[in-house]
Amino acid sequence: MSSVKIECIGSDRYRLGESPVWDEKENSLLYVDITGRKVCRWDAASGQVQAVSVDAPVSSVALRKSGDYVITLGTRFAALKWKEQLVTTIAQVDRDKAKNRFNDGKVDPAGRYFAGTMAEEIRPAVLEPRQGSLYTLCPDHSVVKHFDQVDISNGLDWSLDHKTFFYIDSLSYSVDAFDYDLQTGKIGNRRSIYKLEKEENIPDGMCIDTEGKLWVACYNGGRVIRLDPETGKRIQTVKLPVDKTTSCCFGGKDYSEMYVTSASDGMDREWLSKQPQAGGVFKITGLGVKGIPPYPFAG
């Protein structure tokens, strides 16, 4: 077992860091600050962070095959031209729910952008229940709604054989699996594969490694956990120096580094003084496993 090393990259602290995605072409890590309303890009070579400010809470970012990025902001799927700092709406959802916003999103192996919604939070993880839905933005820009009654739509990824979709609705304290059809993007046969333990707290963002194991960031749990979706067992815990770990992805040259975002919203002065790196982005090396490159949106 190689020795695990954790470092905070950059000096910026975010209110609600989320959705880390490795951009190989730019040798950079993309992520968002949801409540800070910005999309950020950390350059691995220079260590510099660039940011694009947007006009609504921005909850996820993904690569786009044609170049640049796609994002979810407010209740919109949108395109983001980085150099021009230009945001263009592609589609809107939940028009009947003024207080909703998108949360986590990710592109599937066929280039469709999956993302779910939730009600506006009164304070972190406190909100009107079952207001959210899970959607897909297809490459032709049509939108498919999979299901509703979601509390906090969160982590998502696909098995290496592209036959299973993994999904987290945070307040169910469960990691769920669905049968998944790569050709159509349809999902079904939902089941729970792991229930979080009390000290693990709230399941948030998630990613998969090349061994088909899932990594889940635990909000208020200060850790990422590695799960075997076949056995439903936790096989590893990596603790971080902050409680509000929000999401994780693999990146770096060979995808052997893990990047973890965190939040500072909802922490009082005393709590923040004990965790000065709250809201930071962390790099974990020495895990001994690698991730897979993110899929780009095909539309």
Side-chain angles (χ1 to χ4, degrees), residues 69-124:
Y69 309 111
V70 280
I71 57 175
T72 49
L73 80 162
T75 49
R76 293 170 282 156
F77 284 105
L80 168 63
K81 278 198 180 326
W82 189 264
K83 273 199 192 76
E84 297 85 343
Q85 304 206 355
L86 186 68
V87 175
T88 321
T89 299
I90 296 172
Q92 185 161 10
V93 302
D94 286 2
R95 284 179 188 274
D96 55 331
K97 296 190 170 169
K99 290 202 163 157
N100 272 20
R101 68 160 172 85
F102 266 117
N103 202 36
D104 209 352
K106 194 172 276 184
V107 176
D108 82 354
R112 308 175 189 95
Y113 193 4
F114 277 63
T117 56
M118 59 185 276
E120 193 176 31
E121 291 173 296
I122 300 153
R123 52 182 188 280

Side-chain angles (χ1 to χ4, degrees), residues 124-222:
V126 178
L127 71 170
E128 195 182 336
R130 296 184 295 283
Q131 295 304 300
S133 300
L134 181 68
Y135 294 97
T136 296
L137 176 68
C138 301
D140 66 1
H141 295 185
S142 63
V143 174
V144 174
K145 179 174 170 176
H146 296 282
F147 51 79
D148 52 21
Q149 301 290 307
V150 174
D151 286 330
I152 300 179
S153 191
N154 235 320
L156 51 178
D157 218 328
W158 291 265
S159 61
L160 303 181
D161 66 3
H162 303 161
K163 291 193 169 142
T164 307
F165 169 60
F166 299 107
Y167 176 71
I168 292 168
D169 178 352
S170 287
L171 298 186
S172 69
Y173 296 90
S174 170
V175 180
D176 292 354
F178 292 76
D179 295 343
Y180 164 73
D181 186 321
L182 179 67
Q183 257 34 66
T184 63
K186 284 202 166 77
I187 57 174
N189 185 28
R190 184 175 190 168
R191 62 255 180 213
S192 172
I193 55 163
Y194 183 78
K195 281 278 190 200
L196 274 84
E197 291 170 20
K198 201 171 176 10
E199 76 275 7
E200 289 168 347
N201 240 299
I202 301 174
D204 201 330
M206 168 168 61
C207 67
I208 198 163
D209 64 30
T210 56
E211 294 172 15
K213 307 295 190 280
L214 298 172
W215 292 83
V216 178
C218 301
Y219 182 83
N220 284 343

